[in-house]
Amino acid sequence: VQLQASGGGLVQAGGSLRLSCAASGLTFSDYAMGWLRQAPGKERELVAAISWAGGSIDYADSVKGRFTISRDNAKSTVFLQMNNLKPEDTAVYYCAADQTMGGLLRGPHGIEWWGRGTQVTVSS
């Protein structure tokens, strides 16, 4: 299984970025997908999660109203649109897959599949 994240970079506060994660080696539509992030010195935290058909979506309180998660099952890709970025959003962002939303929402430990991270840096 491979989860290939892309789209990170350096942006000024108030700007936008769109992360993508292309999945291979698994039946994408069978999996809930999520984005987690880890800032230096902090625990990895769930940012957003979406169920296999997109009918259930959850966000961390810190990103509600600014970030939008979506997926394209035909392309085995999950997206994270990040608007109005803040310096505190600076972190390495990871794509993750689990067969249940509960598996993602319970926290980083025990999630089935992880991708390599992509760095997001927001300057003030």
Side-chain angles (χ1 to χ4, degrees):
V1 173
Q2 288 194 337
L3 302 175
Q4 184 64 50
S6 61
L10 173 64
V11 65
Q12 287 189 330
S16 298
L17 284 173
R18 189 189 195 208
L19 305 184
S20 299
C21 174
S24 60
L26 75 170
T27 303
F28 185 75
S29 58
D30 285 348
Y31 283 79
M33 299 297 297
W35 289 95
L36 293 89
R37 68 185 180 187
Q38 188 165 20
K42 294 189 175 181
E43 296 275 327
R44 194 171 294 190
E45 62 171 354
L46 181 71
V47 174
I50 185 169
S51 61
W52 66 273
S56 179
I57 290 176
D58 207 345
Y59 295 101
D61 288 342
S62 58
V63 306
K64 282 181 181 176
R66 300 188 297 122
F67 289 12
T68 302
I69 189 171
S70 61
R71 65 189 294 158
D72 184 339
N73 285 350
K75 295 182 179 179
S76 298
T77 303
V78 62
F79 305 96
L80 185 69
Q81 178 67 43
M82 306 186 293
N83 297 329
N84 190 22
L85 282 160
K86 303 176 180 180
E88 52 263 43
D89 294 319
T90 295
V92 178
Y93 283 70
Y94 298 90
C95 176
D98 198 281
Q99 288 195 315
T100 67
M101 279 286 280
L104 293 173
L105 297 177
R106 276 193 293 270
H109 305 292
I111 289 178
E112 291 184 65
W113 302 106
W114 290 94
R116 291 189 178 182
T118 184
Q119 176 71 46
V120 172
T121 303
V122 184
S123 64
S124 56

